[in-house]
Amino acid sequence: MVANFARGASAAWLSGWEKGIHGPITRLRRRTFEAGLPGFGGRSLVPPGATPIRFGERFKAPLATPGLDPSLGRIGSLEVRLATRKSEIRRAQRLRFRVFYEEMSAIPSGMAMLSRRDVDDYDAVCDHLLVIDHAAEAKPFRKPRPKVVGTYRLLRQDAADRHFGFYTAGEYDIAPLLAANPGKRLLELGRSCVLKPYRTKRTVELLWHGIYAYVLHHRIDALLGCASLEGTDPDRLALPLSFLHHHARAPEAWRARALPERYVPMDRLSREAIDPKAALQALPPLIKGYLRVGATFGDGAVIDRQFGTTDVFVVLPVTAIAARYLGHFGPAANRHAA
């Protein structure tokens, strides 16, 4: 979900993208289902009173945010914008498949293999942020068209409440967090990826300029989701997990706990046994970026064997973001440079 709101956050954080780290806070577990059918643990994924979206009704949700210009910024040939057409979302889904299933180690379903797209029912209720390269080379015998090279999926709390709830709830109990922050507007970020040749500072800055414009427009109070550490053996990840538990634990009002059946303790080492410098070196660059900008972490980790990762809950209230980071992506920032 959350990312570093800064040009200067950047060097270590951006290097994570350049080295192939793809998952901002909400990482990309595929969950394909027909709304209303049992979900994880045999429970329905549709909260009581929510509006289910059946398989044939995908993409009937609005594909743009009223009052917000879909084009959110541009640097050279790269533009960041909100998807406004089904075809744009399909192109984002193909990009996600390429990165998650072909480049990374995710295991696709038969339908995903046939369609070559990463699809689930959340796509119909989210906004989709795209980075488009207007100078991408044309393919033989095809009309040139801009190329989708990066994407994020944005799920606001009002949309989550009307439909399936937050995706993160498949791993963490976020009900106490919601109850402790009544009236707060939350935004879950997920399904994020960037095509390998475009994992540069320019692309990431554009994505986060777009996210911050969206945050301002919808008056979002906090960003949430999950971040991943590579590997499924928590003992081998004892140092970074313990560091996050002892040194970056979220305040109680913002802390989510892993679901009981998926809970893995993070305090595998005592506070005194932790070498902070070594722990920071062991963390993925993206998580180090979250720490730098002010994010904190939940209670317990979750093993995701499908993706070969160990996940942690991350939350970032907008008020916790340092002014030097906000200034870079705020209204005064110029993102239409040639």
Side-chain angles (χ1 to χ4, degrees):
M1 156 206 128
V2 184
N4 219 319
F5 285 96
R7 180 195 320 247
S10 40
W13 177 66
L14 291 170
S15 69
W17 289 82
E18 294 161 1
K19 293 175 184 176
I21 304 298
H22 312 294
I25 280 188
T26 303
R27 190 162 154 169
L28 320 73
R29 269 77 45 199
R30 174 180 171 78
R31 198 196 302 178
T32 302
F33 56 87
E34 182 173 356
L37 296 180
F40 289 115
R43 62 189 176 85
S44 173
L45 290 168
V46 182
T51 303
I53 294 183
R54 300 297 173 184
F55 183 80
E57 296 174 352
R58 280 187 179 144
F59 305 131
K60 288 189 177 179
L63 297 181
T65 298
L68 181 61
D69 188 336
S71 182
L72 301 174
R74 184 162 177 164
I75 300 178
S77 66
L78 296 182
E79 177 191 14
V80 61
R81 62 176 293 113
L82 292 169
T84 58
R85 298 190 298 272
K86 298 174 187 178
S87 61
E88 291 178 327
I89 295 178
R90 287 194 291 268
R91 289 162 66 192
Q93 291 167 339
R94 282 192 284 271
L95 172 63
R96 284 160 27 185
F97 183 92
R98 183 172 176 180
V99 173
F100 304 156
Y101 298 104
E102 295 183 343
E103 181 181 342
M104 300 173 71
S105 58
I107 302 171
S109 68
M111 285 296 295
M113 285 295 293
L114 286 171
S115 67
R116 314 301 290 177
R117 291 188 288 131
D118 171 62
V119 182
D120 72 16
D121 284 346
Y122 277 89
D123 285 330
V125 300
C126 294
D127 281 322
H128 298 258
L129 192 68
L130 312 174
V131 172
I132 296 174
D133 184 0
H134 290 273
E137 294 183 10
K139 293 184 179 180
F141 310 110
R142 293 179 109 185
K143 182 180 178 181
R145 68 173 180 173
K147 181 178 183 179
V148 175
V149 300
T151 186
Y152 254 103
R153 193 167 73 178
L154 314 178
L155 179 59
R156 299 193 311 276
Q157 186 172 0
D158 57 344
D161 290 344
R162 288 195 305 270
H163 299 289
F164 318 124
F166 283 120
Y167 193 91
T168 303
E171 293 189 354
Y172 284 86
D173 179 9
I174 60 175
L177 181 154
L178 299 177
N181 295 279
K184 298 290 186 183
R185 297 181 178 89
L186 306 184
L187 177 67
E188 182 186 70
L189 306 187
R191 277 311 201 265
S192 149
C193 63
V194 175
L195 199 61
K196 191 170 184 177
Y198 292 86
R199 288 172 200 155
T200 63
K201 182 177 178 180
R202 175 192 291 190
T203 307
V204 176
E205 284 190 348
L206 268 178
L207 278 169
W208 287 102
H209 173 72
I211 288 170
Y212 191 58
Y214 190 92
V215 164
L216 290 178
H217 178 79
H218 289 287
R219 300 167 61 191
I220 298 298
D221 296 301
L223 306 165
L224 60 83
C226 295
S228 299
L229 294 86
E230 187 175 356
T232 58
D233 183 352
D235 289 330
R236 298 186 66 177
L237 298 170
L239 181 59
L241 289 176
S242 299
F243 176 83
L244 295 176
H245 176 87
H246 292 296
H247 293 278
R249 203 174 189 199
E252 186 174 355
W254 289 107
R255 191 183 310 152
R257 180 180 174 89
L259 296 175
E261 66 273 19
R262 309 194 72 182
Y263 185 94
V264 174
M266 294 172 64
D267 55 341
R268 313 188 81 79
L269 301 174
S270 68
R271 188 183 185 97
E272 295 71 29
I274 296 171
D275 178 348
K277 185 175 180 180
L280 285 169
Q281 290 176 343
L283 285 170
L286 193 63
I287 293 182
K288 285 190 282 191
Y290 299 155
L291 284 167
R292 189 176 295 113
V293 80
T296 51
F297 296 79
D299 180 7
V302 172
I303 305 299
D304 185 342
R305 299 196 182 278
Q306 182 189 5
F307 276 81
T309 61
T310 299
D311 302 336
V312 292
F313 176 82
V314 190
V315 63
L316 178 59
V318 173
T319 56
I321 303 172
R324 63 183 180 275
Y325 297 120
L326 291 179
H328 181 60
F329 290 109
N334 181 4
R335 282 291 167 277
H336 291 270

